[in-house]
Amino acid sequence: INSETVVHALDRSSTRLALLDQRMQHLVKDSTKNTQVVTHHLDFLKTNPADYPQVRGILLDPSCSGSGIFTSPDRRQEKRDDERIATLSNFQLTTLLHAMSFSQVERIVYSTCSLHEEENELVVSQALSSSCNQEANGDSIWKLVAPSCLQHWKRRGHVVDALTREQASCLVRSNQNDETNGFFVAYFERIKKRDAGVNATYQRKTRINESIKGLTLYNGEFATTVNTTSTSTTTNADDPPAPARPKTKKDEISPKKPVGKKKAKKLAWKRRQMEQKLKRIEKRQQQQQE
């Protein structure tokens, strides 16, 4: 990030835009004082690439099913809705293809908080095999790249139709075994077609940790236990566990601090609130069935 960086943040929802504006200001404040953030109450699909000639990168976070948000009681109670997932998948593919149509853009990050392949790997594979990617970009093509800042993250994408194992290894996944909410990340770079045959895990010459000062790289901080007997349709038995965080000297000599009374009361109150919410959801579901 340099002194000439301008971030355009878009959302078509006025409510989400206010939250987006708040988060972007916090992010920029923490990272650099030389970055300008411009928020737009605007539908990304209605944008004209010609109006943003200086944009070189797009972070795309489209609406998704939220199936990976395990910390939300409402999400945990939701049943899989194939029709809704198909609608979201079509929307996500449309937004990704629109992002790829920006001729001057060099990098795209596509992310969701979903575990469903239909919203993740299948969207990526369809975008890569589309005519938009193969023909409309002239002498360039979009290609998956393994993110340098997540090189130690072990859980990777699933192999699906039109997506090779090599390409899937560039994708980043998380599920309930990774001590965090579930998410999916795909990182694309535009390269010359003459270089399209190089290894799918192609890395940039300028390493990301060298180009952005103060960027913290993931180094295996999350411990993981993978349940290979899971019957979930969204998990993959081939998924390796994320590496355990190596013990430090501090871990060995410093015992855990006891939770204070005030914090313990707050945690207990939160648990009761969550239990009550779950009961209300179950009651509502029973009433609907009757």
Side-chain angles (χ1 to χ4, degrees):
I1 298 177
N2 55 46
S3 58
E4 301 176 353
T5 300
V6 178
V7 178
H8 296 277
L10 285 66
D11 205 305
R12 66 180 184 179
S13 166
S14 57
T15 304
R16 290 198 303 264
L17 183 68
L19 180 60
L20 175 65
D21 184 57
Q22 179 184 351
R23 288 178 174 173
M24 289 302 298
Q25 294 299 334
H26 178 72
L27 176 65
V28 171
K29 181 180 178 181
D30 287 350
S31 59
T32 176
K33 295 180 180 179
N34 300 318
T35 302
Q36 178 187 2
V37 177
V38 182
T39 55
H40 304 269
H41 187 195
L42 184 64
D43 186 342
F44 174 65
L45 291 177
K46 295 181 179 179
T47 57
N48 182 354
D51 294 335
Y52 302 90
Q54 302 302 319
V55 172
R56 294 294 179 267
I58 294 179
L59 172 56
L60 193 63
D61 184 30
S63 298
C64 71
S65 64
S67 58
I69 306 178
F70 311 116
T71 54
S72 169
D74 294 335
R75 298 286 189 184
R76 291 204 302 269
Q77 293 294 321
E78 283 184 359
K79 293 182 179 180
R80 180 186 170 96
D81 185 338
D82 290 335
E83 185 176 347
R84 178 169 179 260
I85 292 173
T87 300
L88 286 167
S89 179
N90 288 332
F91 168 74
Q92 292 152 355
L93 177 60
T94 302
T95 58
L96 181 52
L97 291 178
H98 183 56
M100 289 179 167
S101 72
F102 284 64
S103 60
Q104 75 286 0
V105 167
E106 301 169 352
R107 309 177 188 90
I108 297 174
V109 174
Y110 171 80
S111 68
T112 74
C113 51
S114 170
L115 299 180
H116 302 311
E117 290 179 349
E118 294 92 333
E119 299 178 84
N120 298 330
E121 287 88 354
L122 290 174
V123 169
V124 168
S125 65
Q126 290 179 73
L128 288 174
S129 60
S130 69
S131 58
C132 170
N133 183 40
Q134 300 295 336
E135 301 170 4
N137 293 314
D139 64 344
S140 62
I141 192 171
W142 287 103
K143 190 163 186 176
L144 286 172
V145 178
S148 298
C149 60
L150 290 172
Q151 59 185 314
H152 298 293
W153 189 267
K154 298 301 182 182
R155 195 179 302 282
R156 296 290 165 162
H158 299 168
V159 177
V160 298
D161 292 340
L163 198 66
T164 67
R165 182 170 293 279
E166 191 176 31
Q167 289 174 315
S169 69
C170 295
L171 306 174
V172 176
R173 264 184 170 271
S174 172
N175 63 25
Q176 64 266 37
N177 296 314
D178 293 319
E179 295 187 356
T180 182
N181 277 322
F183 63 80
F184 174 85
V185 177
Y187 173 47
F188 302 86
E189 285 192 4
R190 191 194 297 273
I191 64 172
K192 298 294 183 181
K193 283 186 177 178
R194 63 174 178 268
D195 299 326
V198 301
N199 194 296
T201 55
Y202 152 82
Q203 300 286 347
R204 294 188 56 77
K205 290 182 180 179
T206 303
R207 294 175 59 189
I208 190 167
N209 56 318
E210 294 174 350
S211 61
I212 302 179
K213 263 191 172 183
L215 178 68
T216 301
L217 302 186
Y218 173 74
N219 193 29
E221 288 84 357
F222 297 107
T224 300
T225 303
V226 175
N227 179 13
T228 57
T229 61
S230 173
T231 57
S232 171
T233 58
T234 57
T235 56
N236 190 335
D238 294 331
D239 282 345
R245 178 176 65 86
K247 285 188 176 182
T248 64
K249 189 174 181 180
K250 183 178 179 181
D251 292 330
E252 294 172 357
I253 64 175
S254 301
K256 292 184 178 180
K257 293 182 179 179
V259 178
K261 290 184 178 180
K262 189 174 181 180
K263 189 173 182 180
K265 287 183 179 179
K266 189 174 182 180
L267 291 173
W269 178 82
K270 285 185 176 181
R271 281 196 296 270
R272 289 196 299 272
Q273 292 295 313
M274 184 174 289
E275 290 170 359
Q276 290 173 6
K277 191 168 187 179
L278 287 171
K279 288 180 181 178
R280 288 196 297 270
I281 293 172
E282 291 173 358
K283 186 176 180 180
R284 186 164 62 246
Q285 288 179 338
Q286 290 175 356
Q287 290 174 343
Q288 290 175 350
Q289 291 175 357
E290 293 174 356

Coordinates of all heavy atoms in Angstrom, one line a residue, residues 226-257:
V226 N -9.4 -33.3 12.9 CA -10.3 -33.6 11.8 C -11.1 -34.9 12.1 O -10.5 -35.9 12.4 CB -9.5 -33.7 10.5 CG1 -10.5 -34.1 9.4 CG2 -8.9 -32.4 10.2
N227 N -12.4 -34.8 12.0 CA -13.3 -35.9 12.2 C -13.6 -36.6 10.9 O -14.4 -36.1 10.1 CB -14.6 -35.5 12.9 CG -15.5 -36.7 13.1 OD1 -15.1 -37.8 12.9 ND2 -16.7 -36.4 13.4
T228 N -12.8 -37.6 10.5 CA -13.0 -38.2 9.2 C -14.3 -39.1 9.1 O -14.6 -39.5 8.0 CB -11.8 -39.1 8.9 OG1 -11.6 -40.1 9.9 CG2 -10.5 -38.3 8.8
T229 N -15.0 -39.3 10.2 CA -16.2 -40.1 10.1 C -17.4 -39.2 10.0 O -18.6 -39.6 10.0 CB -16.4 -40.9 11.4 OG1 -16.5 -40.0 12.5 CG2 -15.2 -41.8 11.6
S230 N -17.2 -37.9 9.8 CA -18.3 -36.9 9.6 C -19.2 -37.3 8.4 O -18.6 -37.7 7.4 CB -17.8 -35.5 9.5 OG -18.8 -34.7 9.2
T231 N -20.5 -37.2 8.6 CA -21.4 -37.5 7.5 C -21.8 -36.2 6.7 O -22.7 -36.3 5.9 CB -22.7 -38.2 8.0 OG1 -23.3 -37.3 9.0 CG2 -22.3 -39.5 8.6
S232 N -21.2 -35.1 7.1 CA -21.6 -33.8 6.4 C -21.2 -33.9 5.0 O -20.2 -34.4 4.6 CB -20.8 -32.7 7.1 OG -21.0 -31.5 6.3
T233 N -22.1 -33.3 4.1 CA -21.9 -33.3 2.7 C -20.9 -32.3 2.3 O -20.5 -32.3 1.1 CB -23.2 -33.1 1.9 OG1 -23.7 -31.8 2.4 CG2 -24.2 -34.2 2.2
T234 N -20.5 -31.4 3.2 CA -19.6 -30.3 2.8 C -18.2 -30.6 3.2 O -17.3 -29.8 3.0 CB -20.1 -29.0 3.4 OG1 -20.2 -29.2 4.8 CG2 -21.4 -28.6 2.8
T235 N -17.9 -31.7 4.0 CA -16.5 -31.9 4.4 C -15.9 -32.9 3.4 O -16.6 -33.6 2.7 CB -16.5 -32.5 5.8 OG1 -17.3 -33.7 5.9 CG2 -17.0 -31.5 6.8
N236 N -14.6 -33.0 3.4 CA -13.8 -33.9 2.5 C -12.9 -34.7 3.3 O -12.0 -34.1 4.1 CB -13.1 -33.0 1.5 CG -12.5 -33.8 0.4 OD1 -12.2 -35.0 0.6 ND2 -12.3 -33.2 -0.8
A237 N -12.9 -36.0 3.2 CA -12.0 -36.8 4.0 C -10.6 -36.6 3.7 O -9.7 -36.9 4.4 CB -12.4 -38.3 3.8
D238 N -10.3 -36.0 2.5 CA -9.0 -35.8 2.0 C -8.4 -34.5 2.7 O -7.2 -34.2 2.5 CB -8.9 -35.6 0.5 CG -9.2 -36.9 -0.2 OD1 -8.9 -38.0 0.4 OD2 -9.7 -36.9 -1.3
D239 N -9.2 -33.7 3.3 CA -8.8 -32.5 3.9 C -7.8 -32.8 5.0 O -8.1 -33.5 6.0 CB -10.0 -31.7 4.6 CG -10.8 -31.0 3.5 OD1 -10.3 -30.9 2.4 OD2 -11.9 -30.5 3.8
P240 N -6.6 -32.2 4.9 CA -5.6 -32.4 6.0 C -5.9 -31.5 7.2 O -6.5 -30.4 6.9 CB -4.3 -32.1 5.4 CG -4.6 -31.1 4.3 CD -6.0 -31.5 3.8
P241 N -5.5 -31.8 8.4 CA -5.8 -30.9 9.5 C -4.8 -29.7 9.4 O -3.7 -29.8 8.9 CB -5.5 -31.8 10.7 CG -4.5 -32.8 10.2 CD -4.9 -33.1 8.8
A242 N -5.3 -28.6 9.9 CA -4.4 -27.4 10.0 C -3.4 -27.7 11.1 O -3.7 -28.4 12.0 CB -5.2 -26.2 10.4
P243 N -2.1 -27.3 10.9 CA -1.1 -27.6 11.8 C -1.3 -27.0 13.2 O -1.9 -25.9 13.4 CB 0.2 -27.0 11.2 CG -0.4 -25.9 10.4 CD -1.7 -26.3 9.9
A244 N -0.9 -27.8 14.2 CA -1.0 -27.3 15.6 C 0.0 -26.1 15.8 O 1.1 -26.1 15.2 CB -0.7 -28.4 16.6
R245 N -0.4 -25.2 16.6 CA 0.5 -24.0 16.9 C 1.7 -24.6 17.7 O 1.5 -25.2 18.7 CB -0.2 -23.0 17.7 CG 0.7 -21.8 18.0 CD -0.2 -20.7 18.7 NE -0.7 -21.1 20.0 CZ 0.0 -21.1 21.1 NH1 1.2 -20.6 21.2 NH2 -0.6 -21.5 22.3
P246 N 2.9 -24.3 17.3 CA 4.1 -24.8 18.0 C 4.1 -24.2 19.4 O 3.8 -23.0 19.6 CB 5.3 -24.4 17.2 CG 4.7 -23.2 16.4 CD 3.3 -23.5 16.1
K247 N 4.5 -25.0 20.4 CA 4.6 -24.4 21.8 C 5.7 -23.5 21.9 O 6.8 -23.7 21.3 CB 4.8 -25.6 22.8 CG 3.5 -26.4 23.0 CD 3.7 -27.3 24.2 CE 2.4 -28.1 24.5 NZ 2.6 -29.0 25.6
T248 N 5.5 -22.4 22.6 CA 6.6 -21.4 22.9 C 7.0 -21.5 24.3 O 6.4 -22.2 25.2 CB 6.0 -20.0 22.6 OG1 5.0 -19.7 23.6 CG2 5.5 -19.9 21.2
K249 N 8.1 -20.8 24.6 CA 8.6 -20.8 26.0 C 7.6 -20.3 27.0 O 7.4 -20.8 28.1 CB 9.9 -20.0 26.1 CG 10.6 -20.1 27.4 CD 12.0 -19.3 27.3 CE 12.7 -19.5 28.6 NZ 14.0 -18.8 28.6
K250 N 6.8 -19.3 26.5 CA 5.8 -18.7 27.3 C 4.7 -19.7 27.7 O 4.2 -19.8 28.8 CB 5.2 -17.5 26.6 CG 4.1 -16.8 27.4 CD 3.6 -15.6 26.6 CE 2.6 -14.8 27.4 NZ 2.0 -13.7 26.7
D251 N 4.4 -20.6 26.7 CA 3.4 -21.6 26.9 C 3.8 -22.6 28.0 O 3.0 -23.1 28.8 CB 3.1 -22.4 25.6 CG 2.4 -21.6 24.6 OD1 1.6 -20.6 25.0 OD2 2.6 -21.8 23.4
E252 N 5.1 -22.9 28.0 CA 5.6 -23.9 28.9 C 5.7 -23.5 30.4 O 5.5 -24.2 31.3 CB 7.0 -24.4 28.4 CG 6.9 -25.1 27.1 CD 8.3 -25.4 26.5 OE1 9.3 -25.0 27.2 OE2 8.4 -26.0 25.5
I253 N 6.0 -22.2 30.6 CA 6.3 -21.7 31.9 C 5.2 -20.9 32.5 O 5.2 -20.6 33.7 CB 7.6 -20.9 32.0 CG1 7.5 -19.6 31.1 CG2 8.8 -21.7 31.5 CD1 8.7 -18.7 31.2
S254 N 4.2 -20.5 31.7 CA 3.2 -19.6 32.2 C 1.9 -20.3 32.3 O 1.3 -20.7 31.3 CB 3.0 -18.4 31.3 OG 4.2 -17.6 31.2
P255 N 1.3 -20.6 33.5 CA 0.0 -21.2 33.6 C -1.1 -20.3 33.1 O -0.9 -19.1 33.1 CB -0.1 -21.5 35.1 CG 0.8 -20.4 35.7 CD 1.9 -20.2 34.8
K256 N -2.2 -20.9 32.8 CA -3.3 -20.1 32.3 C -3.9 -19.2 33.5 O -4.0 -19.7 34.6 CB -4.5 -21.0 31.8 CG -4.1 -21.6 30.5 CD -5.2 -22.4 29.9 CE -4.9 -23.1 28.6 NZ -6.0 -23.9 28.1
K257 N -4.2 -18.0 33.2 CA -4.7 -17.1 34.2 C -6.2 -17.5 34.4 O -6.9 -17.8 33.5 CB -4.6 -15.7 33.7 CG -3.2 -15.2 33.6 CD -3.2 -13.7 33.2 CE -1.8 -13.2 33.1 NZ -1.8 -11.7 32.7

